[in-house]
Amino acid sequence: MSNRTFTMIKPDATGKGYTGAILDQIIKAGFTVKAMKWVRLTEEQAGLFYDIHRARPFFQELVDFMISGPIVAAILEKDNAVADFRELIGATNPANAADGTIRKLYAANIGENAVHGSDSDENAIIEGDFFFSKLERF
Ligand code: GDP
Protein backbone atom coordinates (compact mmCIF):
# COMPACT_ATOMS: atom_id res chain seq x y z
CA MET A 1 0.00 0.00 0.00
CA SER A 2 1.43 3.34 -1.06
CA ASN A 3 1.08 6.57 0.85
CA ARG A 4 2.02 9.05 -1.88
CA THR A 5 0.65 9.89 -5.29
CA PHE A 6 1.19 12.61 -7.88
CA THR A 7 -1.44 14.86 -9.44
CA MET A 8 -1.79 17.67 -11.93
CA ILE A 9 -4.72 20.04 -12.22
CA LYS A 10 -4.80 20.31 -16.02
CA PRO A 11 -5.07 23.48 -18.16
CA ASP A 12 -8.84 23.15 -18.77
CA ALA A 13 -9.50 23.22 -15.02
CA THR A 14 -7.00 25.96 -14.14
CA GLY A 15 -8.36 28.05 -17.04
CA LYS A 16 -11.97 27.69 -15.90
CA GLY A 17 -11.12 28.76 -12.35
CA TYR A 18 -11.62 25.33 -10.76
CA THR A 19 -8.22 25.11 -9.05
CA GLY A 20 -9.44 26.15 -5.60
CA ALA A 21 -12.51 23.91 -5.63
CA ILE A 22 -10.50 20.89 -6.80
CA LEU A 23 -7.80 21.41 -4.16
CA ASP A 24 -10.51 21.79 -1.51
CA GLN A 25 -12.09 18.49 -2.57
CA ILE A 26 -8.69 16.74 -2.51
CA ILE A 27 -7.88 18.03 0.99
CA LYS A 28 -11.38 17.24 2.32
CA ALA A 29 -10.88 13.68 1.03
CA GLY A 30 -7.96 13.33 3.45
CA PHE A 31 -4.92 14.03 1.26
CA THR A 32 -2.06 16.17 2.58
CA VAL A 33 -0.05 18.32 0.15
CA LYS A 34 3.66 17.42 0.35
CA ALA A 35 4.80 19.50 -2.66
CA MET A 36 3.05 21.91 -5.04
CA LYS A 37 3.82 24.20 -7.95
CA TRP A 38 2.02 26.26 -10.61
CA VAL A 39 3.83 25.89 -13.93
CA ARG A 40 3.35 25.93 -17.69
CA LEU A 41 4.97 22.96 -19.43
CA THR A 42 6.98 23.25 -22.61
CA GLU A 43 6.10 20.98 -25.54
CA GLU A 44 9.20 18.89 -24.83
CA GLN A 45 8.36 18.50 -21.13
CA ALA A 46 4.74 17.51 -21.86
CA GLY A 47 5.94 14.96 -24.43
CA LEU A 48 8.39 13.46 -21.93
CA PHE A 49 5.79 13.28 -19.18
CA TYR A 50 3.40 11.40 -21.48
CA ASP A 51 6.14 9.46 -23.30
CA ILE A 52 4.29 6.17 -22.69
CA HIS A 53 1.48 7.46 -24.94
CA ARG A 54 3.78 8.62 -27.79
CA ALA A 55 2.48 5.98 -30.24
CA ARG A 56 -1.19 6.66 -29.47
CA PRO A 57 -3.30 8.57 -32.04
CA PHE A 58 -4.21 11.24 -29.48
CA PHE A 59 -0.60 11.95 -28.39
CA GLN A 60 -0.16 15.32 -30.16
CA GLU A 61 -3.64 16.43 -29.11
CA LEU A 62 -2.73 15.53 -25.51
CA VAL A 63 0.56 17.45 -25.66
CA ASP A 64 -1.10 20.50 -27.28
CA PHE A 65 -3.74 20.47 -24.56
CA MET A 66 -1.24 20.10 -21.72
CA ILE A 67 0.77 23.12 -22.90
CA SER A 68 -2.28 25.29 -23.60
CA GLY A 69 -2.16 26.88 -20.14
CA PRO A 70 -0.72 26.54 -16.65
CA ILE A 71 -1.08 23.43 -14.52
CA VAL A 72 -0.82 22.81 -10.80
CA ALA A 73 1.46 19.85 -10.00
CA ALA A 74 1.44 18.28 -6.54
CA ILE A 75 2.59 15.32 -4.47
CA LEU A 76 -0.17 14.10 -2.14
CA GLU A 77 0.00 11.88 0.93
CA LYS A 78 -2.64 9.56 2.39
CA ASP A 79 -2.86 5.87 3.24
CA ASN A 80 -3.48 3.94 0.00
CA ALA A 81 -2.86 7.17 -1.90
CA VAL A 82 -2.68 5.92 -5.51
CA ALA A 83 -5.89 3.86 -5.42
CA ASP A 84 -7.86 6.29 -3.25
CA PHE A 85 -6.92 9.22 -5.51
CA ARG A 86 -7.92 7.35 -8.68
CA GLU A 87 -11.28 6.72 -7.02
CA LEU A 88 -11.61 10.42 -6.08
CA ILE A 89 -10.92 11.62 -9.64
CA GLY A 90 -13.08 9.03 -11.45
CA ALA A 91 -12.82 7.40 -14.89
CA THR A 92 -10.62 8.89 -17.66
CA ASN A 93 -13.75 9.75 -19.66
CA PRO A 94 -15.96 11.97 -17.48
CA ALA A 95 -19.02 10.46 -19.17
CA ASN A 96 -18.13 7.21 -17.36
CA ALA A 97 -17.02 8.82 -14.09
CA ALA A 98 -19.02 8.20 -10.91
CA ASP A 99 -21.15 11.00 -9.47
CA GLY A 100 -19.24 13.31 -7.15
CA THR A 101 -15.83 12.50 -8.63
CA ILE A 102 -13.59 15.38 -9.70
CA ARG A 103 -13.77 14.45 -13.38
CA LYS A 104 -17.57 14.09 -13.25
CA LEU A 105 -17.84 17.54 -11.65
CA TYR A 106 -15.21 19.46 -13.64
CA ALA A 107 -14.10 17.62 -16.79
CA ALA A 108 -15.45 18.32 -20.28
CA ASN A 109 -14.40 15.20 -22.19
CA ILE A 110 -11.90 12.30 -22.35
CA GLY A 111 -9.04 14.60 -23.40
CA GLU A 112 -9.75 17.68 -21.32
CA ASN A 113 -10.39 15.78 -18.13
CA ALA A 114 -9.40 18.27 -15.40
CA VAL A 115 -6.90 16.19 -13.40
CA HIS A 116 -4.14 13.61 -13.59
CA GLY A 117 -3.58 10.91 -11.00
CA SER A 118 -0.72 8.39 -10.99
CA ASP A 119 -1.77 4.83 -11.88
CA SER A 120 0.84 2.98 -9.76
CA ASP A 121 3.25 3.50 -6.86
CA GLU A 122 6.15 3.28 -9.30
CA ASN A 123 4.73 5.97 -11.57
CA ALA A 124 3.85 8.18 -8.59
CA ILE A 125 7.57 8.28 -7.73
CA ILE A 126 8.69 8.83 -11.35
CA GLU A 127 6.13 11.60 -11.88
CA GLY A 128 6.87 13.34 -8.56
CA ASP A 129 10.59 13.26 -9.39
CA PHE A 130 9.83 14.76 -12.83
CA PHE A 131 8.49 17.94 -11.20
CA PHE A 132 10.07 18.28 -7.76
CA SER A 133 13.57 18.35 -6.29
CA LYS A 134 14.22 17.13 -2.73
CA LEU A 135 14.23 20.77 -1.60
CA GLU A 136 10.69 21.24 -2.90
CA ARG A 137 8.96 18.38 -1.07
CA PHE A 138 8.16 17.99 2.62
P1 GDP B 1 -5.66 8.42 -17.03
O1 GDP B 1 -4.66 7.54 -16.33
O2 GDP B 1 -7.05 8.28 -16.50
O3 GDP B 1 -5.23 9.89 -17.06
O4 GDP B 1 -5.77 7.95 -18.55
P2 GDP B 1 -4.69 7.44 -19.62
O5 GDP B 1 -3.37 7.14 -18.96
O6 GDP B 1 -5.34 6.39 -20.43
O7 GDP B 1 -4.50 8.70 -20.59
C1 GDP B 1 -3.71 9.81 -20.20
C2 GDP B 1 -4.40 11.07 -20.64
O8 GDP B 1 -4.45 11.12 -22.07
C3 GDP B 1 -5.87 11.19 -20.20
O9 GDP B 1 -6.03 11.64 -18.88
C4 GDP B 1 -6.41 12.18 -21.21
O10 GDP B 1 -6.07 13.54 -20.88
C5 GDP B 1 -5.64 11.79 -22.47
N1 GDP B 1 -6.42 10.88 -23.31
C6 GDP B 1 -6.72 9.57 -23.09
N2 GDP B 1 -7.47 9.07 -24.07
C7 GDP B 1 -7.67 10.08 -24.95
C8 GDP B 1 -8.37 10.21 -26.19
O11 GDP B 1 -8.99 9.27 -26.70
N3 GDP B 1 -8.34 11.44 -26.80
C9 GDP B 1 -7.66 12.51 -26.28
N4 GDP B 1 -7.66 13.68 -26.94
N5 GDP B 1 -6.99 12.43 -25.11
C10 GDP B 1 -6.99 11.24 -24.46
Side-chain angles (χ1 to χ4, degrees), residues 10 50 53 56 58 61-62 65-66 86 89-92 103 110-113 115-117 119:
K10 297 185 180 182
Y50 282 113
H53 294 310
R56 308 282 282 276
F58 59 82
E61 202 176 317
L62 173 59
F65 163 58
M66 289 302 296
R86 296 283 292 190
I89 67 177
T92 307
R103 282 170 167 165
I110 192 169
E112 304 198 357
N113 61 2
V115 281
H116 168 81
D119 63 3

Short mmCIF file of all heavy atoms in Angstrom, two decimals, residues 10 50 53 56 58 61-62 65-66 86 89-92 103 110-113 115-117 119, ligand 1:
data_model
loop_
_atom_site.label_atom_id
_atom_site.label_comp_id
_atom_site.label_asym_id
_atom_site.label_seq_id
_atom_site.Cartn_x
_atom_site.Cartn_y
_atom_site.Cartn_z
N LYS A 10 -5.15 20.09 -14.61
CA LYS A 10 -4.80 20.31 -16.02
C LYS A 10 -5.28 21.69 -16.51
O LYS A 10 -6.09 22.35 -15.85
CB LYS A 10 -5.39 19.17 -16.86
CG LYS A 10 -4.80 17.79 -16.50
CD LYS A 10 -5.32 16.71 -17.44
CE LYS A 10 -4.75 15.35 -17.11
NZ LYS A 10 -5.23 14.30 -18.06
N TYR A 50 4.34 12.37 -20.91
CA TYR A 50 3.40 11.40 -21.48
C TYR A 50 4.07 10.49 -22.51
O TYR A 50 3.41 9.99 -23.42
CB TYR A 50 2.21 12.13 -22.10
CG TYR A 50 1.20 12.62 -21.07
CD1 TYR A 50 1.00 13.97 -20.83
CD2 TYR A 50 0.44 11.71 -20.33
CE1 TYR A 50 0.07 14.41 -19.89
CE2 TYR A 50 -0.48 12.14 -19.39
CZ TYR A 50 -0.67 13.48 -19.17
OH TYR A 50 -1.59 13.90 -18.24
N HIS A 53 2.58 7.36 -23.98
CA HIS A 53 1.48 7.46 -24.94
C HIS A 53 1.92 7.95 -26.32
O HIS A 53 1.09 8.27 -27.17
CB HIS A 53 0.40 8.43 -24.42
CG HIS A 53 -0.30 7.94 -23.19
ND1 HIS A 53 -0.84 6.69 -23.09
CD2 HIS A 53 -0.54 8.53 -21.99
CE1 HIS A 53 -1.40 6.53 -21.90
NE2 HIS A 53 -1.22 7.63 -21.21
N ARG A 56 0.28 6.63 -29.41
CA ARG A 56 -1.19 6.66 -29.47
C ARG A 56 -1.67 7.77 -30.42
O ARG A 56 -1.01 8.80 -30.56
CB ARG A 56 -1.77 6.91 -28.06
CG ARG A 56 -1.25 5.95 -27.00
CD ARG A 56 -1.90 4.60 -27.06
NE ARG A 56 -3.22 4.62 -26.45
CZ ARG A 56 -3.44 4.50 -25.15
NH1 ARG A 56 -2.43 4.34 -24.30
NH2 ARG A 56 -4.66 4.51 -24.67
N PHE A 58 -3.86 9.96 -30.12
CA PHE A 58 -4.21 11.24 -29.48
C PHE A 58 -3.00 11.94 -28.87
O PHE A 58 -3.16 12.97 -28.20
CB PHE A 58 -5.28 11.03 -28.41
CG PHE A 58 -4.90 10.07 -27.31
CD1 PHE A 58 -4.12 10.48 -26.23
CD2 PHE A 58 -5.34 8.75 -27.34
CE1 PHE A 58 -3.77 9.60 -25.21
CE2 PHE A 58 -4.98 7.86 -26.33
CZ PHE A 58 -4.20 8.29 -25.27
N GLU A 61 -2.50 15.69 -29.69
CA GLU A 61 -3.64 16.43 -29.11
C GLU A 61 -3.44 16.58 -27.60
O GLU A 61 -3.69 17.64 -27.02
CB GLU A 61 -4.91 15.64 -29.40
CG GLU A 61 -6.18 16.45 -29.36
CD GLU A 61 -7.38 15.60 -29.76
OE1 GLU A 61 -7.29 14.82 -30.74
OE2 GLU A 61 -8.40 15.71 -29.08
N LEU A 62 -2.97 15.51 -26.96
CA LEU A 62 -2.73 15.53 -25.51
C LEU A 62 -1.63 16.53 -25.16
O LEU A 62 -1.78 17.34 -24.24
CB LEU A 62 -2.35 14.11 -25.05
CG LEU A 62 -1.89 13.94 -23.61
CD1 LEU A 62 -2.98 14.38 -22.62
CD2 LEU A 62 -1.52 12.47 -23.35
N PHE A 65 -2.85 20.11 -25.67
CA PHE A 65 -3.74 20.47 -24.56
C PHE A 65 -2.94 20.78 -23.29
O PHE A 65 -3.18 21.80 -22.63
CB PHE A 65 -4.73 19.33 -24.31
CG PHE A 65 -5.42 19.37 -22.98
CD1 PHE A 65 -6.16 20.50 -22.60
CD2 PHE A 65 -5.33 18.31 -22.09
CE1 PHE A 65 -6.80 20.55 -21.36
CE2 PHE A 65 -5.95 18.36 -20.85
CZ PHE A 65 -6.68 19.48 -20.49
N MET A 66 -1.97 19.94 -22.98
CA MET A 66 -1.24 20.10 -21.72
C MET A 66 -0.33 21.33 -21.69
O MET A 66 0.10 21.75 -20.61
CB MET A 66 -0.43 18.83 -21.41
CG MET A 66 -1.29 17.63 -21.03
SD MET A 66 -2.37 17.91 -19.59
CE MET A 66 -1.15 18.16 -18.29
N ARG A 86 -7.26 7.74 -7.41
CA ARG A 86 -7.92 7.35 -8.68
C ARG A 86 -9.44 7.26 -8.47
O ARG A 86 -10.21 7.63 -9.36
CB ARG A 86 -7.37 6.00 -9.18
CG ARG A 86 -5.89 6.01 -9.54
CD ARG A 86 -5.59 6.64 -10.88
NE ARG A 86 -6.09 5.88 -12.00
CZ ARG A 86 -5.77 6.16 -13.27
NH1 ARG A 86 -4.94 7.17 -13.55
NH2 ARG A 86 -6.26 5.45 -14.24
N ILE A 89 -10.85 10.87 -8.38
CA ILE A 89 -10.92 11.62 -9.64
C ILE A 89 -11.91 10.98 -10.62
O ILE A 89 -12.49 11.68 -11.44
CB ILE A 89 -9.53 11.83 -10.31
CG1 ILE A 89 -8.89 10.54 -10.80
CG2 ILE A 89 -8.62 12.59 -9.37
CD1 ILE A 89 -7.55 10.77 -11.53
N GLY A 90 -12.13 9.68 -10.56
CA GLY A 90 -13.08 9.03 -11.45
C GLY A 90 -12.45 8.59 -12.77
O GLY A 90 -11.28 8.81 -13.03
N ALA A 91 -13.27 8.00 -13.62
CA ALA A 91 -12.82 7.40 -14.89
C ALA A 91 -12.22 8.46 -15.82
O ALA A 91 -12.59 9.64 -15.76
CB ALA A 91 -13.98 6.71 -15.58
N THR A 92 -11.30 8.00 -16.70
CA THR A 92 -10.62 8.89 -17.66
C THR A 92 -11.63 9.72 -18.44
O THR A 92 -11.46 10.92 -18.63
CB THR A 92 -9.77 8.06 -18.63
OG1 THR A 92 -8.92 7.20 -17.88
CG2 THR A 92 -8.95 8.94 -19.55
N ARG A 103 -13.57 14.39 -11.93
CA ARG A 103 -13.77 14.45 -13.38
C ARG A 103 -15.25 14.60 -13.73
O ARG A 103 -15.61 15.31 -14.67
CB ARG A 103 -13.13 13.23 -14.05
CG ARG A 103 -11.61 13.37 -14.17
CD ARG A 103 -10.94 12.10 -14.59
NE ARG A 103 -9.55 12.29 -15.01
CZ ARG A 103 -8.68 11.30 -15.14
NH1 ARG A 103 -9.06 10.05 -14.90
NH2 ARG A 103 -7.44 11.54 -15.53
N ILE A 110 -12.97 13.26 -22.65
CA ILE A 110 -11.90 12.30 -22.35
C ILE A 110 -10.51 12.94 -22.44
O ILE A 110 -9.59 12.52 -21.73
CB ILE A 110 -12.00 11.05 -23.24
CG1 ILE A 110 -11.08 9.93 -22.74
CG2 ILE A 110 -11.71 11.38 -24.70
CD1 ILE A 110 -11.29 8.59 -23.39
N GLY A 111 -10.35 13.95 -23.28
CA GLY A 111 -9.04 14.60 -23.40
C GLY A 111 -8.86 15.67 -22.33
O GLY A 111 -7.89 15.67 -21.58
N GLU A 112 -9.83 16.57 -22.27
CA GLU A 112 -9.75 17.68 -21.32
C GLU A 112 -10.46 17.24 -20.04
O GLU A 112 -11.61 17.58 -19.80
CB GLU A 112 -10.38 18.93 -21.94
CG GLU A 112 -9.72 19.26 -23.28
CD GLU A 112 -9.97 20.68 -23.75
OE1 GLU A 112 -10.69 21.43 -23.09
OE2 GLU A 112 -9.41 21.02 -24.80
N ASN A 113 -9.73 16.45 -19.26
CA ASN A 113 -10.39 15.78 -18.13
C ASN A 113 -9.92 16.25 -16.75
O ASN A 113 -9.94 15.48 -15.79
CB ASN A 113 -10.30 14.26 -18.29
CG ASN A 113 -8.88 13.76 -18.31
OD1 ASN A 113 -7.95 14.54 -18.17
ND2 ASN A 113 -8.71 12.45 -18.46
N VAL A 115 -7.96 16.60 -14.33
CA VAL A 115 -6.90 16.19 -13.40
C VAL A 115 -6.17 14.94 -13.88
O VAL A 115 -6.74 14.11 -14.60
CB VAL A 115 -7.46 15.89 -11.99
CG1 VAL A 115 -7.71 17.15 -11.20
CG2 VAL A 115 -8.68 15.02 -12.05
N HIS A 116 -4.93 14.83 -13.42
CA HIS A 116 -4.14 13.61 -13.59
C HIS A 116 -3.98 12.95 -12.23
O HIS A 116 -3.86 13.65 -11.23
CB HIS A 116 -2.75 13.97 -14.14
CG HIS A 116 -1.77 12.82 -14.09
ND1 HIS A 116 -1.76 11.84 -15.04
CD2 HIS A 116 -0.83 12.49 -13.16
CE1 HIS A 116 -0.81 10.94 -14.72
NE2 HIS A 116 -0.25 11.32 -13.59
N GLY A 117 -3.94 11.64 -12.22
CA GLY A 117 -3.58 10.91 -11.00
C GLY A 117 -2.73 9.71 -11.37
O GLY A 117 -3.08 8.97 -12.30
N ASP A 119 -1.06 6.12 -11.83
CA ASP A 119 -1.77 4.83 -11.88
C ASP A 119 -1.05 3.71 -11.14
O ASP A 119 -1.53 2.58 -11.12
CB ASP A 119 -2.04 4.43 -13.33
CG ASP A 119 -0.77 4.23 -14.14
OD1 ASP A 119 0.34 4.32 -13.58
OD2 ASP A 119 -0.89 3.95 -15.35
P1 GDP B 1 -5.66 8.42 -17.03
O1 GDP B 1 -4.66 7.54 -16.33
O2 GDP B 1 -7.05 8.28 -16.50
O3 GDP B 1 -5.23 9.89 -17.06
O4 GDP B 1 -5.77 7.95 -18.55
P2 GDP B 1 -4.69 7.44 -19.62
O5 GDP B 1 -3.37 7.14 -18.96
O6 GDP B 1 -5.34 6.39 -20.43
O7 GDP B 1 -4.50 8.70 -20.59
C1 GDP B 1 -3.71 9.81 -20.20
C2 GDP B 1 -4.40 11.07 -20.64
O8 GDP B 1 -4.45 11.12 -22.07
C3 GDP B 1 -5.87 11.19 -20.20
O9 GDP B 1 -6.03 11.64 -18.88
C4 GDP B 1 -6.41 12.18 -21.21
O10 GDP B 1 -6.07 13.54 -20.88
C5 GDP B 1 -5.64 11.79 -22.47
N1 GDP B 1 -6.42 10.88 -23.31
C6 GDP B 1 -6.72 9.57 -23.09
N2 GDP B 1 -7.47 9.07 -24.07
C7 GDP B 1 -7.67 10.08 -24.95
C8 GDP B 1 -8.37 10.21 -26.19
O11 GDP B 1 -8.99 9.27 -26.70
N3 GDP B 1 -8.34 11.44 -26.80
C9 GDP B 1 -7.66 12.51 -26.28
N4 GDP B 1 -7.66 13.68 -26.94
N5 GDP B 1 -6.99 12.43 -25.11
C10 GDP B 1 -6.99 11.24 -24.46
#
